[in-house]
PDB file of all heavy atoms in Angstrom:
ATOM      1  N   VAL G1327     -49.243 -40.942 217.613  1.00 78.00           N
ATOM      2  CA  VAL G1327     -50.631 -41.287 217.925  1.00 78.00           C
ATOM      3  C   VAL G1327     -50.913 -41.010 219.398  1.00 78.00           C
ATOM      4  O   VAL G1327     -51.961 -40.469 219.757  1.00 78.00           O
ATOM      5  CB  VAL G1327     -50.913 -42.766 217.570  1.00 78.00           C
ATOM      6  CG1 VAL G1327     -52.298 -43.185 218.021  1.00 78.00           C
ATOM      7  CG2 VAL G1327     -50.751 -42.989 216.080  1.00 78.00           C
ATOM      8  N   THR G1328     -49.976 -41.343 220.253  1.00 81.00           N
ATOM      9  CA  THR G1328     -50.140 -41.086 221.678  1.00 81.00           C
ATOM     10  C   THR G1328     -50.240 -39.587 221.948  1.00 81.00           C
ATOM     11  O   THR G1328     -51.081 -39.140 222.730  1.00 81.00           O
ATOM     12  CB  THR G1328     -48.954 -41.685 222.462  1.00 81.00           C
ATOM     13  OG1 THR G1328     -48.884 -43.075 222.181  1.00 81.00           O
ATOM     14  CG2 THR G1328     -49.114 -41.467 223.940  1.00 81.00           C
ATOM     15  N   VAL G1329     -49.414 -38.810 221.289  1.00 83.00           N
ATOM     16  CA  VAL G1329     -49.461 -37.355 221.455  1.00 83.00           C
ATOM     17  C   VAL G1329     -50.809 -36.815 220.988  1.00 83.00           C
ATOM     18  O   VAL G1329     -51.398 -35.943 221.634  1.00 83.00           O
ATOM     19  CB  VAL G1329     -48.290 -36.685 220.702  1.00 83.00           C
ATOM     20  CG1 VAL G1329     -48.433 -35.170 220.691  1.00 83.00           C
ATOM     21  CG2 VAL G1329     -46.964 -37.085 221.320  1.00 83.00           C
ATOM     22  N   ASP G1330     -51.314 -37.322 219.882  1.00 87.00           N
ATOM     23  CA  ASP G1330     -52.631 -36.898 219.394  1.00 87.00           C
ATOM     24  C   ASP G1330     -53.712 -37.164 220.436  1.00 87.00           C
ATOM     25  O   ASP G1330     -54.561 -36.310 220.696  1.00 87.00           O
ATOM     26  CB  ASP G1330     -52.987 -37.617 218.094  1.00 87.00           C
ATOM     27  CG  ASP G1330     -52.176 -37.136 216.904  1.00 87.00           C
ATOM     28  OD1 ASP G1330     -51.547 -36.060 217.021  1.00 87.00           O
ATOM     29  OD2 ASP G1330     -52.161 -37.832 215.879  1.00 87.00           O
ATOM     30  N   TRP G1331     -53.700 -38.351 221.022  1.00 89.00           N
ATOM     31  CA  TRP G1331     -54.711 -38.687 222.027  1.00 89.00           C
ATOM     32  C   TRP G1331     -54.585 -37.809 223.277  1.00 89.00           C
ATOM     33  O   TRP G1331     -55.582 -37.402 223.862  1.00 89.00           O
ATOM     34  CB  TRP G1331     -54.636 -40.165 222.408  1.00 89.00           C
ATOM     35  CG  TRP G1331     -55.358 -41.031 221.439  1.00 89.00           C
ATOM     36  CD1 TRP G1331     -54.819 -41.852 220.512  1.00 89.00           C
ATOM     37  CD2 TRP G1331     -56.778 -41.125 221.281  1.00 89.00           C
ATOM     38  NE1 TRP G1331     -55.807 -42.460 219.782  1.00 89.00           N
ATOM     39  CE2 TRP G1331     -57.028 -42.041 220.234  1.00 89.00           C
ATOM     40  CE3 TRP G1331     -57.859 -40.539 221.913  1.00 89.00           C
ATOM     41  CZ2 TRP G1331     -58.299 -42.368 219.812  1.00 89.00           C
ATOM     42  CZ3 TRP G1331     -59.139 -40.859 221.493  1.00 89.00           C
ATOM     43  CH2 TRP G1331     -59.348 -41.764 220.457  1.00 89.00           C
ATOM     44  N   VAL G1332     -53.372 -37.513 223.675  1.00 91.00           N
ATOM     45  CA  VAL G1332     -53.163 -36.647 224.843  1.00 91.00           C
ATOM     46  C   VAL G1332     -53.701 -35.243 224.563  1.00 91.00           C
ATOM     47  O   VAL G1332     -54.370 -34.642 225.405  1.00 91.00           O
ATOM     48  CB  VAL G1332     -51.669 -36.614 225.235  1.00 91.00           C
ATOM     49  CG1 VAL G1332     -51.395 -35.532 226.255  1.00 91.00           C
ATOM     50  CG2 VAL G1332     -51.235 -37.969 225.773  1.00 91.00           C
ATOM     51  N   VAL G1333     -53.437 -34.728 223.379  1.00 93.00           N
ATOM     52  CA  VAL G1333     -53.920 -33.391 223.024  1.00 93.00           C
ATOM     53  C   VAL G1333     -55.439 -33.375 222.951  1.00 93.00           C
ATOM     54  O   VAL G1333     -56.093 -32.451 223.458  1.00 93.00           O
ATOM     55  CB  VAL G1333     -53.289 -32.927 221.692  1.00 93.00           C
ATOM     56  CG1 VAL G1333     -53.951 -31.658 221.174  1.00 93.00           C
ATOM     57  CG2 VAL G1333     -51.801 -32.723 221.869  1.00 93.00           C
ATOM     58  N   LEU G1334     -56.042 -34.386 222.339  1.00 95.00           N
ATOM     59  CA  LEU G1334     -57.499 -34.448 222.255  1.00 95.00           C
ATOM     60  C   LEU G1334     -58.137 -34.569 223.636  1.00 95.00           C
ATOM     61  O   LEU G1334     -59.152 -33.923 223.930  1.00 95.00           O
ATOM     62  CB  LEU G1334     -57.926 -35.629 221.374  1.00 95.00           C
ATOM     63  CG  LEU G1334     -57.713 -35.445 219.878  1.00 95.00           C
ATOM     64  CD1 LEU G1334     -58.005 -36.746 219.139  1.00 95.00           C
ATOM     65  CD2 LEU G1334     -58.592 -34.336 219.354  1.00 95.00           C
ATOM     66  N   THR G1335     -57.551 -35.376 224.501  1.00 96.00           N
ATOM     67  CA  THR G1335     -58.084 -35.534 225.854  1.00 96.00           C
ATOM     68  C   THR G1335     -57.977 -34.229 226.628  1.00 96.00           C
ATOM     69  O   THR G1335     -58.904 -33.848 227.351  1.00 96.00           O
ATOM     70  CB  THR G1335     -57.335 -36.658 226.594  1.00 96.00           C
ATOM     71  OG1 THR G1335     -57.450 -37.862 225.822  1.00 96.00           O
ATOM     72  CG2 THR G1335     -57.892 -36.883 227.965  1.00 96.00           C
ATOM     73  N   ALA G1336     -56.870 -33.538 226.482  1.00 96.00           N
ATOM     74  CA  ALA G1336     -56.710 -32.247 227.156  1.00 96.00           C
ATOM     75  C   ALA G1336     -57.739 -31.235 226.653  1.00 96.00           C
ATOM     76  O   ALA G1336     -58.281 -30.448 227.437  1.00 96.00           O
ATOM     77  CB  ALA G1336     -55.300 -31.722 226.947  1.00 96.00           C
ATOM     78  N   ALA G1337     -58.039 -31.259 225.367  1.00 97.00           N
ATOM     79  CA  ALA G1337     -59.047 -30.351 224.815  1.00 97.00           C
ATOM     80  C   ALA G1337     -60.425 -30.662 225.375  1.00 97.00           C
ATOM     81  O   ALA G1337     -61.184 -29.746 225.726  1.00 97.00           O
ATOM     82  CB  ALA G1337     -59.048 -30.444 223.288  1.00 97.00           C
ATOM     83  N   VAL G1338     -60.769 -31.928 225.476  1.00 97.00           N
ATOM     84  CA  VAL G1338     -62.074 -32.312 226.024  1.00 97.00           C
ATOM     85  C   VAL G1338     -62.184 -31.904 227.493  1.00 97.00           C
ATOM     86  O   VAL G1338     -63.217 -31.382 227.933  1.00 97.00           O
ATOM     87  CB  VAL G1338     -62.307 -33.836 225.846  1.00 97.00           C
ATOM     88  CG1 VAL G1338     -63.505 -34.303 226.644  1.00 97.00           C
ATOM     89  CG2 VAL G1338     -62.481 -34.164 224.377  1.00 97.00           C
ATOM     90  N   VAL G1339     -61.124 -32.112 228.247  1.00 96.00           N
ATOM     91  CA  VAL G1339     -61.135 -31.713 229.659  1.00 96.00           C
ATOM     92  C   VAL G1339     -61.268 -30.196 229.778  1.00 96.00           C
ATOM     93  O   VAL G1339     -62.016 -29.688 230.618  1.00 96.00           O
ATOM     94  CB  VAL G1339     -59.865 -32.227 230.373  1.00 96.00           C
ATOM     95  CG1 VAL G1339     -59.710 -31.611 231.743  1.00 96.00           C
ATOM     96  CG2 VAL G1339     -59.899 -33.741 230.478  1.00 96.00           C
ATOM     97  N   GLY G1340     -60.565 -29.462 228.941  1.00 95.00           N
ATOM     98  CA  GLY G1340     -60.667 -28.004 228.951  1.00 95.00           C
ATOM     99  C   GLY G1340     -62.072 -27.523 228.641  1.00 95.00           C
ATOM    100  O   GLY G1340     -62.587 -26.603 229.287  1.00 95.00           O
TER     101      GLY G1340
END
Side-chain angles (χ1 to χ4, degrees):
V1327 174
T1328 303
V1329 172
D1330 288 345
W1331 278 106
V1332 169
V1333 170
L1334 286 173
T1335 303
V1338 168
V1339 169

